[in-house]
Amino acid sequence: MKSDAVKKGVQQAPHRSLFNALGFTKEEMEKPLIGIVSSYNEIVPGHMNLDKIVEAVKMGVAMAGGVPRVFPAIAVCDGIAMGHVGMKYSLVTRDLIADSTEAMALAHQFDALVMIPNCDKNVPGLLMAAARINVPTIFVSGGPMLAGHVHGQKRSLSSMFEAVGEYTSGRITEEELTDFENHVCPTCGSCSGMYTANSMNCLTEVLGMGLKGNGTIPAVYSERIRLAKQAGMQVMELLKKNIRPRDIMTKEAFMNALTVDMALGCSTNSMLHLPAIAHEAGVELNVDIANEVSARTPNICHLAPAGPTYMEDLNAAGGVYAVMKELTKKDLLNLDCLTVTGKTVGENIKDSKNLNPEVIRPLENPYSETGGLAILKGNLAPDSGVVKRSAVVPEMMVHSGPARVFDCEEDAIAAILGGKINPGDVVVIRYEGPKGGPGMREMLNPTSAIAGMGLGSSVALITDGRFSGASRGASIGHVSPEAAVGGPIALVEEGDIIEIDIPNNSLNLKVSDEELKERRAKWQPREPKITTGYLARYAAMVTSGNRGAILEIPKNN
């Protein structure tokens, strides 16, 4: 056992004395030491129930003969961090989570790990850690929130953000705004649409790192507690068989994840997280391949914000496995990939059924013949930009309009809510990328304001920042290279015509090469917005959005 390094032999007598201080018995010293990585805290709604999940996992581990020991992972609530300096600290926690988990797991020589995440960055952060540490590991998330109900309709957090714009434009009253406020988030759990947290929890299932239902069983269902106990027991089987994350998270598994991503219509943030996780697993995953996968993968789910269905509906319809089973009709998945069940993908999903064709459309009747995400390129995004195609209204799939240029999110929001953005405009928000932000803030406030002001079918938004999974509309993010390193988005001027062609995967600035060359000669790098602390270190090490915003040690000149 790996933990023998801290438990066995004369040289480990001091270590054993410290285990004695923890209350370990001789019998426990003989058993595998299982680390339980808990993202529980009291500030994130998606995490307030994780104490229950932790206790269930501990029970499962103990029942199967292991000794569970809990240590923490941090987590930021993106909704609470949205629209202010706090959002700079969201994406960057992904690497803090991976690093601190690595430190704890290896310092204490755990034999195996159970990861308990739930929200946007700690799911990918812990997947990155799992690949890096590479001891037998299983995931069990806290589960999604139930949808809220306002005026007899199911609603979610994206509805709340859009309601602010509706109130500002006089389309709803203050009383109606308060009604939204009190009812859109009715339970604990990750927010109820196919936002980033739920996208990544579903893709954890697809990658093979979580049991059936990990992504969809609602947080408040007792079934989630049973799942946690099963995960605790199953990690002991993984340890017995020495099945490790890198045995599971292979190139083929990541291709499966990209495919299901397209079918589900996941958050654009998956185009940041999947490459970063793959990088830790030693797999090269270039986002350019996304369009190739999209071209052959029908989009068969329209969960909020793309449509009127929610995670609880997907769960009732058969969950992620039912979506995967649909995709086998066109032989779109590699069914031989190993999973934490100890079985292959094919064995896991063979008996799954689509229980509601209104929620999971049959492959013969998709929302579109192509996937939910698209990678765009052109002279405005030479490396790439990403859009959630499934959440774009038909009239905005091809759009041309004048640029309205803002150098930060706050200025853009003020202009949108101040009625200064007109139908047909293309809002450009720059210097919000991984380095320029720093931290690549999510732009849910501006996209929601555009929708709330009634401009969702006539105004596009382009940014080197990123979007919440709750964003909808012609919202193109991750534009690379970013403005802070001199990408073409830094050269856009007020009134320039921008052409968007999502079906043909293009994003172009209608300015001559000569003019762009002249502008580039005049462009000067901006002074860093933040020069101290973690964000300054992050900005110095982070790569571009098209590479997953992974961290690299800067090379000496």
Side-chain angles (χ1 to χ4, degrees), residues 144 154 192-194 198-199 202 205 215-218 260 263-264 266 300-303 309-324 353-356 359-361:
K154 285 185 177 181
S192 56
M194 188 53 79
N198 292 325
S199 293
C202 287
E205 266 190 75
T216 60
I217 298 170
V260 178
L264 280 172
C266 290
I300 57 176
C301 294
H302 264 194
L303 285 88
T309 53
Y310 294 81
M311 295 305 297
E312 63 202 66
D313 303 313
L314 178 60
N315 186 63
V320 174
Y321 277 20
V323 173
M324 295 173 76
K353 292 181 175 61
N354 181 356
L355 303 176
N356 189 340
V359 176
I360 305 171
R361 284 198 175 183

Side-chain angles (χ1 to χ4, degrees), residues 414-432:
I416 296 164
L417 295 180
K420 296 177 181 178
I421 302 301
N422 304 308
D425 285 349
V426 179
V427 175
V428 176
I429 306 177
R430 61 192 181 190
Y431 295 99
E432 290 284 7

Side-chain angles (χ1 to χ4, degrees), residues 188-210:
C188 62
S190 48
C191 296
S192 56
M194 188 53 79
Y195 309 151
T196 306
N198 292 325
S199 293
M200 294 311 301
N201 280 322
C202 287
L203 295 182
T204 299
E205 266 190 75
V206 183
L207 282 170
M209 291 298 294

Side-chain angles (χ1 to χ4, degrees), residues 15 81 105 131 155 283 286 312 322 330 370 393 403 410 427 520 541:
H15 305 69
R155 298 289 190 175
V283 174
N286 192 314
E312 63 202 66
K330 284 182 69 174
T370 52
V393 294
E410 288 84 355
V427 175
R520 180 169 299 286
M541 297 175 68

